[in-house]
Amino acid sequence: MLGILKAEFLSLRAFLAEMKAQATNASANCRRKLRRLARKTLTRGRELPFSGDMTPDLKSSCLDALTESASELTATVLGGVPFAALPEGVEPLAGHGAYLGLVAADEPIQVGILVDTGGCQHLAKLLLGMAPTDEDLAQSDVSDAMCEIINIIAGGLKRRVSERMKVTMGLPIFVAGHPLPNQQQEVDLRTLQIATASVNLLLLTQKQQTMPISRSGVTLQTAGRAPAKENSA
């Protein structure tokens, strides 16, 4: 009887050892398949350059929408001060401003408003219903006001191009310095006069047939200090 139990025990132990070996092999095969799949995915990502939907015509429509939105903002929120669209500028002004990232389908976009320091004060006072001769606002209040202005302008862009392009808005951020786009970006602008402030409206898009740094937004460098603060939309 003892011999029979011993034989059955040895048989069971052998069976368990075989099952363990099969499970180990299956796990190893699974890991190998996952590694091959990961390598294939990464390789495919490196081989596919960016090819979004931002055609020259759509880009021009976006710039027109930004200008119209800024005009609407000036006529309503800023109290109806003088507004004029000026001849196209060659390059953006050096100064302060606010930027807001957008994502349209798989198209990373960023819009911005750039003015000199005095212009930021003037626009912030207009937004808050103050007179130009009132005491200057604190930098934090100016930052909040400029972020709110680009938020309103970006919302106007989203509304005006909604039939051609679905846009998701990000968070505005205030920065100081001359915009320095990376090698994957293009910058287009419209130059405006709002009251006494010279204003650049910027549209930053991904160059076609380039590898994007990120599909979730556009990275903007500035030749100045780091971003002052970020505000919710």
Side-chain angles (χ1 to χ4, degrees):
M1 184 66 178
L2 183 61
I4 294 174
L5 290 175
K6 183 177 181 181
E8 290 180 350
F9 172 76
L10 293 175
S11 176
L12 178 60
R13 188 169 65 176
F15 172 76
L16 293 175
E18 182 180 356
M19 293 296 294
K20 182 179 179 180
Q22 291 179 1
T24 301
N25 290 336
S27 179
N29 290 335
C30 182
R31 286 195 298 269
R32 284 194 293 269
K33 289 180 179 179
L34 288 174
R35 284 195 295 268
R36 285 197 297 270
L37 179 60
R39 284 195 297 269
K40 183 183 296 185
T41 301
L42 291 173
T43 301
R44 184 185 300 118
R46 289 192 297 266
E47 290 174 349
L48 289 178
F50 178 80
S51 181
D53 297 325
M54 186 56 70
T55 62
D57 177 63
L58 183 54
K59 185 181 294 185
S60 178
S61 296
C62 287
L63 288 168
D64 289 342
L66 287 173
T67 303
E68 292 171 6
S69 181
S71 176
E72 181 181 60
L73 168 81
T74 304
T76 55
V77 180
L78 301 187
V81 297
F83 173 92
L86 303 179
E88 294 185 10
V90 177
E91 63 179 28
L93 298 168
H96 295 57
Y99 298 84
L100 188 146
L102 306 170
V103 177
D106 208 19
E107 183 91 22
I109 304 171
Q110 196 166 48
V111 296
I113 182 170
L114 193 64
V115 298
D116 59 24
T117 305
C120 285
Q121 277 284 347
H122 190 40
L123 294 181
K125 289 178 181 179
L126 288 174
L127 181 72
L128 297 175
M130 300 170 61
T133 54
D134 288 344
E135 183 179 354
D136 281 353
L137 296 163
Q139 182 59 55
S140 59
D141 293 330
V142 174
S143 300
D144 288 342
M146 293 302 296
C147 286
E148 182 59 27
I149 287 173
I150 194 59
N151 195 51
I152 295 172
I153 292 175
L157 165 68
K158 177 181 179 180
R159 185 175 72 252
R160 287 172 169 83
V161 301
S162 60
E163 293 184 0
R164 300 185 60 183
M165 181 172 62
K166 299 300 181 183
V167 174
T168 300
M169 294 175 55
L171 299 176
I173 187 169
F174 183 84
V175 300
H178 191 82
L180 299 174
N182 60 52
Q183 294 180 350
Q184 288 78 35
Q185 291 173 315
E186 291 180 335
V187 180
D188 295 273
L189 63 87
R190 291 287 172 87
T191 304
L192 313 174
Q193 188 78 25
I194 300 178
T196 60
S198 294
V199 177
N200 278 165
L201 288 180
L202 306 180
L203 177 68
L204 293 93
T205 55
Q206 189 79 28
K207 290 181 179 178
Q208 300 295 305
Q209 302 303 319
T210 61
M211 297 307 303
I213 292 177
S214 171
R215 293 287 178 98
S216 61
V218 178
T219 301
L220 179 74
Q221 307 173 59
T222 55
R225 60 186 175 82
K229 68 182 298 184
E230 185 171 301
N231 303 277
S232 59

